[in-house]
Amino acid sequence: MRLTLVGTGYVGLVAAVCFAKLGHDVIAVDREPIIRGLLENKLNIWEPQLEQMLADVFAMGHLRFETDVVKASADADALMVAVGTPTRPDGHTDLGHIHEVLAQLMHSATCPPFVIIKSTVPVGTCDELEASLLAAGLHTEVVFNPEFLRQGSALNDFMEPDRIVFGCKTPQAETRLRKLYDGIEAPIHVCERRSAELVKYASNAFLAMKISFSNMMSDVCEGYGADIRHVMSGVGADRRIGPEFLSAGVGYGGSCFSKDLQALMTTGKLIGRSLPLLEAVAKVNDQRIPRMIAKLISLWGNPMGKRLCVLGISFKPNTNDVRDAPFLTLLAQCERHGIEVQAYDPVVRQVGAKAVKVLDSPYTAAASADAVIIMTEWPQFAELDWPYLLHLMRQPLVLDGRNLLPSGVIAQIVNEDNAVYVPVGRPMECSSSAREESL
Ligand code: UGA
């Protein structure tokens, strides 16, 4: 199939590369500087294996780049739109980028027979887009095909998805979409467009709800000396619940969950419905960083002038994305309390904030620190030389915001003089000297 795909952000680029890998002829469209970078194989996102796969499909001639959407879609069987749909300050979704793309096609009075919306859009958007194309004399069916890609495992999620959802009106559109995904083994859910649009929001809201539920239960565990990992593995063993997305920690971040929760709440408001469950999910998440700061203060006393080493800046491992990262909230709160921050991340080398020194080694970041906090569950943090790292610190206090460290490493930590290990939703552990001092 000849597919033109507009938008080479996270979703667009991964989709373009994967559809090309499936053997389709893909033309990816974006602004000039972005396309120039891609032609030099310079990606502004960090996703395992993407660079190599992009080079492969490009060399095979299945993927080309363009800056002119009209030219790129002249012979296309379908146009896919994967541009950003950010939240406006009033809580509504900004569809400006989608409108810009379609306006160019309306202006040229040409459009492929199918426009597939991959961007996350509010319910009813595809109906409206199709009506505006029709009003411009273009007989195009607008189809909704949501993405469920996780950053850090996006290629795998694309090629081996749990399900594929098509929101379409006619059997012709369904046939075209099935052809596009030919070669991927997954259950296909076909429904009308409004339901498909809601599947995307409801899925992210549900995942965020699972995380907030675990975080809420972690507070209960801390109060009663129970262990959240045992509680949630017992809960998640029920097949009706499932074991994933039940890890308690510093809360969810990233560009999707908060944005989509907000958009779904606004969707509810538009029809006069409040969605209190979603409000509670967001509220629990907002309490995560203040709770971490409260733990620090209870162990330090006065936080003013203390130095905190932060391990992990990106919102999750295997990405350099810092959008809505819990790290940013932590940084703002540290600034408010007069806490100095030194951070290290395996891939993020800078953050556009003055109040942090980003260092190129976890050990340099730990120098003279009064505590270290693990904010992102990069697996390599479990492999650090923890006894050495603790010796570099002023105070050997470890907050494990992701319950990352295995018991062997925790044993090494609490073997050190005065060391304290503070996990989430589990009792803290101390060296015998630290215990004696607190008695
Ligand atoms: C999320 C969804 O998982 C994807 O299905 C969806 O396509 C994507 O949003 C989107 O809408 O584009 P993503 O934001 O890349 O994907 O990352 P997740 O793996 O979902 O993690 C989100 C946040 O939740 C991270 O900060 C992660 O650390 C946190 N998390 C995840 C937890 O705190 N606990 C968990 O058990 C799982």
Side-chain angles (χ1 to χ4, degrees), residues 13 111-112 234 239 287 314 323 369 426:
L13 190 59
C111 191
R239 271 181 297 167
Q287 288 165 348
S314 57
R323 283 177 294 170
R426 294 149 55 194

Side-chain angles (χ1 to χ4, degrees), residues 180-316:
L180 189 60
Y181 280 93
D182 197 17
I184 293 185
E185 295 278 324
I188 292 181
H189 292 253
V190 184
C191 56
E192 20 64 59
R193 298 181 293 207
R194 288 178 179 237
S195 301
E197 287 162 338
L198 279 174
V199 168
K200 169 68 193 189
Y201 282 119
S203 299
N204 273 358
F206 199 88
L207 291 170
M209 182 181 77
K210 285 184 91 175
I211 298 169
S212 277
F213 185 85
S214 300
N215 282 328
M216 177 194 78
M217 287 307 298
S218 77
D219 293 347
V220 178
C221 288
E222 281 177 17
Y224 284 93
D227 185 329
I228 187 67
R229 297 168 309 169
H230 297 150
V231 173
M232 294 326 285
S233 74
V235 170
D238 185 326
R239 271 181 297 167
R240 293 169 301 174
I241 297 170
E244 288 183 57
F245 278 68
L246 294 179
S247 300
V250 292
Y252 58 78
S255 63
C256 305
F257 285 173
S258 291
K259 173 178 88 85
D260 290 353
L261 272 185
Q262 183 61 52
L264 193 47
M265 286 190 256
T266 305
T267 301
K269 268 194 205 125
L270 289 174
I271 50 160
R273 297 277 194 282
S274 73
L275 306 178
L277 188 54
L278 303 190
E279 284 162 23
V281 168
K283 191 170 164 200
V284 170
N285 201 56
D286 290 345
Q287 288 165 348
R288 293 302 96 198
I289 299 298
R291 272 194 72 80
M292 297 310 285
I293 298 277
K295 282 182 188 178
L296 273 173
I297 294 178
S298 76
L299 289 154
W300 276 341
N302 184 1
M304 184 63 77
K306 295 279 188 192
R307 182 178 287 180
L308 179 64
C309 164
V310 181
L311 297 181
I313 295 175
S314 57
F315 81 99
K316 60 183 280 190

Side-chain angles (χ1 to χ4, degrees), residues 258-431:
S258 291
K259 173 178 88 85
D260 290 353
L261 272 185
Q262 183 61 52
L264 193 47
M265 286 190 256
T266 305
T267 301
K269 268 194 205 125
L270 289 174
I271 50 160
R273 297 277 194 282
S274 73
L275 306 178
L277 188 54
L278 303 190
E279 284 162 23
V281 168
K283 191 170 164 200
V284 170
N285 201 56
D286 290 345
Q287 288 165 348
R288 293 302 96 198
I289 299 298
R291 272 194 72 80
M292 297 310 285
I293 298 277
K295 282 182 188 178
L296 273 173
I297 294 178
S298 76
L299 289 154
W300 276 341
N302 184 1
M304 184 63 77
K306 295 279 188 192
R307 182 178 287 180
L308 179 64
C309 164
V310 181
L311 297 181
I313 295 175
S314 57
F315 81 99
K316 60 183 280 190
N318 287 324
T319 175
N320 62 350
D321 197 338
V322 295
R323 283 177 294 170
D324 257 337
F327 169 83
L328 297 175
T329 315
L330 178 80
L331 189 60
Q333 300 208 4
C334 283
E335 208 177 346
R336 200 166 324 131
H337 289 281
I339 302 167
E340 192 189 317
V341 176
Q342 302 192 149
Y344 167 77
D345 186 280
V347 297
V348 181
R349 287 284 172 258
Q350 57 184 42
V351 252
K354 281 196 205 106
V356 54
K357 267 195 219 147
V358 181
L359 295 147
D360 56 10
S361 138
Y363 303 107
T364 342
S368 304
D370 297 286
V372 55
I373 180 168
I374 298 174
M375 288 296 286
T376 314
E377 63 276 39
W378 284 99
Q380 47 269 61
F381 293 156
E383 328 250 281
L384 296 177
D385 183 343
W386 280 93
Y388 172 63
L389 189 137
L390 295 186
H391 282 140
L392 300 169
M393 296 171 65
R394 213 150 39 198
Q395 198 179 336
L397 170 59
V398 180
L399 270 77
D400 188 350
R402 297 288 189 174
N403 286 335
L404 173 77
L405 300 183
S407 52
V409 174
I410 299 167
Q412 280 180 3
I413 290 173
V414 295
N415 211 14
E416 295 295 316
D417 241 10
N418 281 323
V420 179
Y421 171 78
V422 187
V424 175
R426 294 149 55 194
M428 67 162 90
E429 296 186 37
C430 312
S431 63

